[in-house]
């Protein structure tokens, strides 16, 4: 099991952002994580990647507990946060070298990752000179640098034009051949194109966890989403 979530709850003050959520993801799965804005997707992803801690319940990533083995979890996970925070004044290579130092991985790995995410022609540019699609590639490169088994991508395709969207989707599909991927999105076609499974949360609660085929047997994913989250 790559990711195990057991009865996880999280409060922000009085607000219960996650309410006893449980699911597990097998190694090698690409899972779409859906829910309306404010459902708790980013909160769950921050917990899985140890950026914040749950108030209740257990999260095990690659066999490591987030609360007690945070460093091992971080080594196992590549994380592309929502809004992809980058140091835009840095050159692409400079930024990836900086991350390589933090992760203590060989700088030789940088060129591999640059090729993998399709940044070869742009690699000498400053991040601020890149379009949004290419910035996403830099974010993905950063998430992949230490060759983690698990990837957590928070709305990696939001704000991309249709061509960039297809590029990043293909990239996720390619990466998913060798890694476990959990990614959030609002685009239903994307889930159907990229994932084998979907998890839907609403107001902090799990409302669906099924294969795409099973879930969409009788209704479209959009109508199921609308029904479960209204
Ligand atoms: P999603 O990613 O599904 O849009 P989030 O996990 O970002 O949802 O947010 C879930 C809920 O928790 C929202 O109501 C949001 O306003 C609230 N929330 C998120 N982060 C914080 C925070 N740091 N402090 C207070 N409330 C927060
Ligand atoms: Mg979010």
């Amino acid at each position: 099991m790559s990711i195990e979530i057991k009865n996880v709850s999280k409060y922000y003050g009085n607000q219960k952002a996650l309410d006893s959520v449980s699911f597990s993801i097998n190694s090698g799965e690409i899972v779409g994580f859906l829910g309306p804005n404010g459902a708790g997707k980013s909160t769950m992803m921050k917990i899985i990647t140890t950026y914040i801690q749950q108030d209740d319940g257990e999260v095990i990533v690659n066999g490591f507990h987030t609360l007690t083995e945070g460093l091992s979890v971080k080594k196992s996970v590549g994380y592309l946060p929502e809004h992809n925070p980058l140091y835009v004044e840095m050159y692409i290579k400079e930024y990836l070298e900086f991350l390589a130092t933090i992760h203590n991985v060989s700088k030789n790995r940088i060129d591999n990752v640059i090729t993998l995410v399709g940044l070869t022609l742009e690699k000498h540019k400053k991040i601020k000179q890149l379009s949004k699609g290419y910035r996403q590639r830099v974010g993905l490169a950063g998430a992949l640098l230490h060759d983690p088994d698990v990837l957590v991508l928070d709305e990696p395709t939001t704000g991309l034009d249709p061509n960039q969207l297809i590029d990043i989707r293909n990239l996720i599909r390619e990466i998913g051949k060798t890694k476990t991927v959990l990614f959030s999105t609002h685009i239903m076609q994307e889930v159907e194109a990229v994932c084998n499974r979907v998890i839907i949360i609403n107001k902090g609660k799990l409302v669906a966890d099924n294969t795409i085929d099973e879930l969409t047997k009788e209704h479209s994913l959009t109508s199921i989403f609308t029904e479960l989250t209204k």
Side-chain angles (χ1 to χ4, degrees):
M1 210 68 84
S2 241
I3 302 178
E4 279 183 83
I5 312 285
K6 295 180 193 165
N7 302 315
V8 165
S9 295
K10 173 76 188 174
Y11 291 87
Y12 294 116
N14 292 330
Q15 184 192 356
K16 203 167 193 181
L18 291 174
D19 188 355
S20 197
V21 175
S22 301
F23 59 82
S24 46
I25 299 178
N26 290 313
S27 150
E29 280 190 294
I30 306 185
V31 177
F33 196 28
L34 303 182
N37 286 327
K41 302 180 297 295
S42 296
T43 298
M44 182 55 92
M45 289 178 148
K46 287 176 195 164
I47 290 172
I48 292 170
T49 53
T50 74
Y51 280 81
I52 59 173
Q53 297 192 332
Q54 67 271 33
D55 295 306
D56 230 324
E58 213 174 25
V59 177
I60 304 164
V61 182
N62 233 7
F64 302 109
H65 288 72
T66 51
L67 295 184
T68 52
E69 299 166 295
L71 196 58
S72 299
V73 172
K74 282 195 175 80
K75 286 182 183 169
S76 309
V77 183
Y79 177 37
L80 179 61
E82 200 174 10
H83 312 307
N84 188 11
L86 294 167
Y87 293 111
V88 295
E89 288 297 331
M90 283 186 169
Y91 291 93
I92 294 174
K93 273 201 106 165
E94 183 186 15
Y95 175 65
L96 294 174
E97 277 170 18
F98 165 68
L99 291 186
T101 309
I102 292 174
H103 285 300
N104 200 17
V105 298
S106 157
K107 299 230 164 103
N108 299 331
R109 168 97 184 130
I110 293 172
D111 279 326
N112 295 347
V113 170
I114 283 177
T115 310
L116 178 67
V117 302
L119 276 171
T120 308
L121 294 175
E122 319 282 327
K123 69 178 175 189
H124 298 296
K125 289 189 179 172
K126 276 195 172 187
I127 293 172
K128 70 175 179 187
Q129 296 167 330
L130 301 175
S131 68
K132 186 150 189 203
Y134 277 86
R135 288 186 194 201
Q136 289 304 85
R137 290 174 195 244
V138 177
L140 277 170
L144 288 164
L145 200 57
H146 56 299
D147 200 18
D149 290 328
V150 179
L151 271 186
V152 175
L153 312 175
D154 198 351
E155 297 195 30
T157 57
T158 295
L160 301 187
D161 74 34
N163 296 334
Q164 295 172 331
L165 223 129
I166 290 170
D167 289 346
I168 297 295
R169 246 180 236 174
N170 286 338
L171 200 53
I172 294 172
R173 217 185 280 125
E174 192 57 36
I175 294 165
K177 287 182 182 164
T178 54
K179 298 186 187 302
T180 307
V181 181
L182 177 67
F183 82 99
S184 59
T185 177
H186 289 295
I187 309 170
M188 301 295 148
Q189 302 96 298
E190 181 158 282
V191 178
E192 290 175 295
V194 179
C195 308
N196 23 45
R197 199 173 128 206
V198 57
I199 291 171
I200 307 178
I201 59 170
N202 185 41
K203 296 179 184 157
K205 288 193 163 124
L206 187 97
V207 292
D209 176 3
N210 218 328
T211 61
I212 305 276
D213 290 345
E214 198 62 38
L215 205 61
T216 57
K217 252 183 185 159
E218 287 176 15
H219 301 283
S220 73
L221 193 53
T222 305
S223 60
I224 288 161
F225 179 89
T226 313
E227 184 61 32
L228 290 173
T229 61
K230 67 184 175 197

